[in-house]
Amino acid sequence: MGLEDRESVRILRDVLDVGDGSDTVIGRFYTRWFAVDMSARDLFPPDMAKQRRVFGQAMCWLCDELIAQRAEEPVAFLAQLGRDHRKYGVTSGHYATLQDALLTTLRSALSDRWDRRLGEAVNDVVDLVVGVMSGAADAETSPPFCDGTVLEHLRPTRDVSVVRLRMDHAVAYHPGQYVPVQIPQWPRRWRYLSPSIPADPAGYIEFHVRSIPGGMVSTAIIGETRPGDRWRLSNPHGAMEIDRDGGDVLMVAGSTGLAPLRTMIMDLTRFGENPRVHLFFGAKYPCELYDLRTLWEIASTNPWLSVTPVSELNFDPPWAADYPDVTPPRGLHVRQSGRLPEVVTRYGNWGDRQILVCGRPEMVQATKAALIAKGAPAERIQHDPLAN
């Protein structure tokens, strides 16, 4: 029965469930793989805790989809994963040793229940993972990554950096997408960043980065990035979009969550007519609304755009004096005070709008919940996958 054997696939899923203590099994798999293929170890960062968790979550999701007899999305996901993993330097030889190590580890972990049916299902699931990923990687003809040079590093506020680069060749992405980025201070640690300008044929690109407490990469970007640094970008991800024929738009941006929404807004300026767009841009302090002047410049010549600044607090901290004044000329909506979800829903449920929300996962979740509680249809709310 193989992949159609739901009971056996469920047994496999349970042994890979991180929530049920599968970290030991997944750890054994990586230990076995690195022992038989030492070159595979160089593909990963020194700390493997997050990698083990992500691998377990991905395998559990795949098994859940197969149990539900849904194959289309898992195949598309695995194909994208295979294409994306080219940036790490994964080869067909790595896939072969991975397959052997994973099968051996799973057979050992399931030895007390192993029989012909379970063995067939486990083999078919592993064959699916390895076959689709390696096949998609072999079929892809585009470069796995592109390098670029940092031209400028700005600090508009204490915890936010604006980094501008010129890539060695143009990077193709749709407005609202995000790209994997590797910086020289942390090789092999890829982080997703959203470009804040539309794709440029000359290769120019800009990122807005907020320092995350305990975040090694974001802290290094803000504290150590210098002009001349060489960054590496890989292929884009994400499906947020604006349907220009789909009605008016609500955007909610928390801090540097503004970047992908600003890219969409800038892309819309290419057209003579657009749906109305209302953007709520929020931060903790007024001084952290770092890009209001750019938004003012766009809104001043594009009457379809309205911008409401929002700050949780009504005053600035003492360190604000060390950074540029972000107050724009008059023309934007009056700044509101309060948490973004509360301020946005003061105006209604926005259920007739296309809704896009970007920012920290907790802000996105809170805003989405508040809008749904007010009556906005969940299917009209778009956001990127929330990090764990």
Side-chain angles (χ1 to χ4, degrees):
M1 295 177 68
L3 297 178
E4 297 181 359
D5 185 352
R6 299 185 186 188
E7 182 179 346
S8 294
V9 175
R10 188 172 287 107
I11 293 172
L12 172 61
R13 183 221 179 279
D14 291 343
V15 81
L16 292 169
D17 190 346
V18 176
D20 287 344
S22 72
D23 191 59
T24 301
V25 174
I26 297 171
R28 287 173 182 167
F29 151 63
Y30 279 110
T31 299
R32 186 183 300 275
W33 186 23
F34 297 158
V36 299
D37 187 349
M38 288 184 289
S39 67
R41 184 65 186 89
D42 293 334
L43 305 176
F44 299 92
D47 181 6
M48 289 291 295
K50 181 177 180 181
Q51 174 62 32
R52 290 194 296 268
R53 183 175 70 254
V54 170
F55 177 81
Q57 291 170 340
M59 290 296 293
C60 284
W61 174 83
L62 172 65
C63 290
D64 285 338
E65 293 294 294
L66 294 174
I67 291 167
Q69 298 293 288
R70 295 188 294 260
E72 184 175 348
E73 189 172 349
V75 169
F77 167 76
L78 290 169
Q80 178 60 46
L81 208 58
R83 290 188 291 268
D84 192 47
H85 272 55
R86 295 179 306 138
K87 69 178 182 283
Y88 298 109
V90 178
T91 67
S92 57
H94 291 131
Y95 281 114
T97 55
L98 178 151
Q99 184 169 18
D100 289 344
L102 185 55
L103 284 172
T104 302
T105 302
L106 291 173
R107 179 157 191 161
S108 174
L110 295 167
S111 58
D112 58 334
R113 286 170 283 181
W114 195 268
D115 57 18
R116 182 190 58 78
R117 281 183 55 186
L118 181 57
E120 185 178 342
V122 171
N123 274 276
D124 284 359
V125 170
V126 175
D127 283 348
L128 176 69
V129 172
V130 173
V132 174
M133 288 183 65
S134 61
D138 291 342
E140 184 59 49
T141 58
S142 65
F145 51 75
C146 175
D147 293 334
T149 302
V150 173
L151 302 178
E152 194 172 17
H153 177 201
L154 306 176
R155 291 286 299 277
T157 185
R158 186 181 66 173
D159 297 327
V160 172
S161 283
V162 174
V163 182
R164 294 168 178 156
L165 305 95
R166 184 171 187 178
M167 307 306 296
D168 293 347
H169 60 75
V171 178
Y173 54 87
H174 298 298
Q177 286 192 302
Y178 51 92
V179 296
V181 175
Q182 179 183 260
I183 63 172
Q185 292 86 352
W186 286 101
R188 301 200 306 275
R189 287 188 182 272
W190 293 81
R191 290 296 182 269
Y192 291 116
L193 299 178
S194 296
S196 59
I197 60 173
D200 180 81
Y204 292 102
I205 194 167
E206 176 183 290
F207 296 106
H208 299 175
V209 183
R210 181 181 177 87
S211 178
I212 300 172
M216 295 177 289
V217 175
S218 64
T219 301
I221 290 174
I222 288 179
E224 302 174 27
T225 296
R226 301 288 184 272
D229 284 357
R230 296 283 287 173
W231 284 22
R232 176 164 290 179
L233 276 58
S234 191
N235 297 314
H237 300 266
M240 282 201 308
E241 61 179 357
I242 293 174
D243 179 359
R244 292 184 59 249
D245 298 317
D248 293 339
V249 181
L250 167 68
M251 294 181 170
V252 184
S255 187
T256 53
L258 174 68
L261 302 183
R262 193 185 85 157
T263 304
M264 293 180 173
I265 290 170
M266 294 178 73
D267 184 65
L268 288 176
T269 63
R270 299 184 298 120
F271 304 98
E273 294 185 8
N274 284 307
R276 290 182 301 161
V277 177
H278 195 121
L279 167 67
F280 288 85
F281 174 36
K284 183 175 182 179
Y285 297 108
C287 68
E288 292 181 312
L289 297 167
Y290 64 93
D291 210 33
L292 285 180
R293 182 171 291 273
T294 301
L295 297 173
W296 172 84
E297 290 173 352
I298 298 173
S300 66
T301 55
N302 293 277
W304 46 265
L305 175 63
S306 300
V307 179
T308 298
V310 180
S311 63
E312 290 187 29
L313 302 176
N314 231 344
F315 59 88
D316 281 331
W319 54 257
D322 297 331
Y323 296 91
D325 181 7
V326 301
T327 305
R330 295 184 63 181
L332 299 182
H333 286 225
V334 175
R335 180 174 53 82
Q336 303 291 303
S337 296
R339 296 176 62 251
L340 263 174
E342 297 163 358
V343 174
V344 171
T345 52
R346 285 177 199 163
Y347 293 80
N349 67 16
W350 304 90
D352 60 338
R353 303 289 182 109
Q354 304 178 67
I355 302 173
L356 298 91
V357 187
C358 293
R360 291 185 175 183
E362 53 270 23
M363 186 281 288
V364 173
Q365 290 173 318
T367 302
K368 183 176 181 179
L371 287 165
I372 292 173
K374 280 280 188 175
E379 62 272 14
R380 292 185 68 84
I381 302 175
Q382 299 181 54
H383 57 80
D384 286 329
L386 302 178
N388 293 307

